[in-house]
Amino acid sequence: MRSLEGIHGTVAVPRPTAGFWQHWRAFAGPALLVSVGYMDPGNWGTDLQAGATYKYDLLWVVALASIMAIFMQVIAARLGVVTGKDLAQCCRDWYPAWMRWPQWLLSEVAIGACDLAEVLGSAVALNLLFHIPLLWAVIITAFDVLALLWLQRYGMRAIEAVILLLVLTIAFCYFIEIFILPQTRPAFGEIGRAMLSPGFRHPSMLYLAIGIIGATVMPHNLYLHSALVQSRRLQQDHASVKRAIQFNTIDSTAALAIAFLVNAAILVLAATVFYGRTYVAVPGGQIVKFSADSDWIRVAYLTLAPLLGTAIGSTLFAVALLASGQSSTITGTLAGQVVMEGFMHWRLQAWVRRLITRSLAILPAILIIGARGDSSVTELLTLSQVVLALQLPFAMFPLLHFTSSRARMGEWRNGWFLLAAGWATALLITAMDVWGLPESLGAAWQVVTGG
């Protein structure tokens, strides 16, 4: 049973004698779809909080997480190219049957956590741009399934084109804010020094660092990428497999480098504008105070205009946030289809699958926002990313197990560099999860209870 049957093998690849750019155009795309998960609203919550609270001190975590993401996505693409299976199918076929249900349920938890971040990000953007009450904006996000259904009618290339447009929108907005607006030009020398001096100089930095890693290295993207590479009409001869691996490696590196620049820009913007401030007066005389518990996405929108002296900063911020939420929504739906079809061999209509996923994400958002108000958004975003980080080992270790096996991968198994980088990534993330687990569980309990 093929995952994403409607787009499997639908994109032709050129003849072996074709030039570099022809091959690049053919293979570019899957990693772009994956990369939007690395700049979704969950990243905004964690990056804004990190920059506003610790200035550039956690920028090295963003860089480290991005490098680890490149390693893991390159390995996931290699698995899909060589085996013709995605990670979920490999787990179903090569592990004992009793593991199928827990692995699938853990994957669904990760997708639900990611979708929660997308719901909140899109809803906040709608609220800021159009003044729709946040609770109603959350409910409206349930209907963005129609956009994906419309796109799927036009094939894989149409989906990739729309995602590219949304990513360029995000990048353009931040390019203007970081390089054009004089009020937000950062101190690049200080940024460089912070990148070269890693460490946790405050105990609470660890919880936020785990959130950043959870927002960057995303478990469902490992399943998704191993399926998306099969949208290309791949051949299984030696030269074709080698070429597919090479160009998917280039695609992954380029797409995730863009994602790193966006994440770094979000953190740098917050550090430049908010770090060291305790409050700002907005038009109308209202005082917006800054604290560790601030809803940084809403604070950023409300205070960018008075701090920068121009409304364009706030507008660009909200437009980029909306583009982020909608692009991540599309890829989250595809990931949900991959894990359900791969683990369980259940095939649902796309709109049914989408409504189930979105409903599971909307319900906790409605309950907590309804009970506690708009102030809980950043807490929910950060919590969703910590959930993703805690689930990561259950996707990473099977991926590394399969791709390190000569029996499964033959001559294309991970070489010494990918082997070392992949296992170091998995072990480091797992160690950080275990180290930060008590604080993570305490923070989760506070979000749920309002303590």
Side-chain angles (χ1 to χ4, degrees), residues 135-386:
L135 201 56
W136 282 106
V138 166
I139 295 170
I140 289 171
T141 62
F143 298 99
D144 60 14
V145 63
L146 300 176
L148 178 60
L149 294 176
W150 177 76
L151 278 176
Q152 284 184 320
R153 295 170 52 195
Y154 297 96
M156 187 66 183
R157 281 305 205 187
I159 296 174
E160 290 171 355
V162 170
I163 292 294
L164 177 61
L165 178 63
L166 292 170
V167 169
L168 289 176
T169 300
I170 300 168
F172 176 74
C173 291
Y174 272 99
F175 178 82
I176 291 177
E177 290 190 322
I178 297 297
F179 294 102
I180 305 300
L181 297 179
Q183 303 93 327
T184 49
R185 285 181 192 162
F188 291 103
E190 190 176 353
I191 290 173
R193 288 191 294 273
M195 290 278 285
L196 297 175
S197 56
F200 298 111
R201 285 172 278 279
H202 192 280
S204 62
M205 292 173 73
L206 175 62
Y207 175 70
L208 196 51
I210 293 174
I212 290 172
I213 290 175
T216 306
V217 188
M218 307 185 81
H220 67 280
N221 272 341
L222 303 179
Y223 295 102
L224 179 62
H225 202 176
S226 58
L228 287 177
V229 294
Q230 297 173 55
S231 63
R232 273 52 186 172
R233 209 169 298 148
L234 302 173
Q235 305 297 320
Q236 288 303 308
D237 60 278
H238 182 277
S240 297
V241 172
K242 181 179 180 180
R243 189 165 52 252
I245 290 174
Q246 288 175 338
F247 280 94
N248 276 296
T249 299
I250 295 171
D251 188 34
S252 300
T253 304
L256 293 177
I258 294 171
F260 162 69
L261 293 175
V262 170
N263 283 325
I266 295 170
L267 188 150
V268 166
L269 177 70
T272 304
V273 178
F274 301 122
Y275 180 75
R277 294 178 181 266
T278 57
Y279 70 92
V280 66
V282 299
Q286 180 188 359
I287 300 296
V288 178
K289 295 183 179 180
F290 302 157
S291 70
D293 299 324
S294 293
D295 176 357
W296 283 108
I297 288 182
R298 188 173 300 278
V299 165
Y301 178 82
L302 291 175
T303 59
L304 277 175
L307 285 173
L308 303 182
T310 173
I312 191 173
S314 293
T315 302
L316 289 171
F317 178 87
V319 169
L321 178 61
L322 184 59
S324 168
Q326 290 308 296
S327 58
S328 301
T329 287
I330 294 172
T331 57
T333 299
L334 295 174
Q337 289 178 245
V338 169
V339 299
M340 180 177 284
E341 293 170 3
F343 278 119
M344 308 307 294
H345 282 188
W346 295 345
R347 180 162 286 162
L348 300 179
Q349 292 290 331
W351 67 271
V352 175
R353 167 71 217 191
R354 183 69 199 130
L355 286 178
I356 292 173
T357 304
R358 183 46 56 101
S359 298
L360 292 175
I362 282 177
L363 285 176
I366 289 176
L367 290 173
I368 294 177
I369 291 173
R372 297 177 52 197
D374 298 356
S375 62
S376 57
V377 169
T378 295
E379 292 175 340
L380 281 169
L381 281 173
T382 303
L383 174 64
S384 72
Q385 305 314 300
V386 173

Side-chain angles (χ1 to χ4, degrees), residues 85-100:
K85 301 173 184 281
D86 60 62
L87 179 57
Q89 291 170 328
C90 291
C91 290
R92 177 188 172 92
D93 294 345
W94 297 337
Y95 280 154
W98 64 267
M99 295 180 64
R100 189 178 306 154

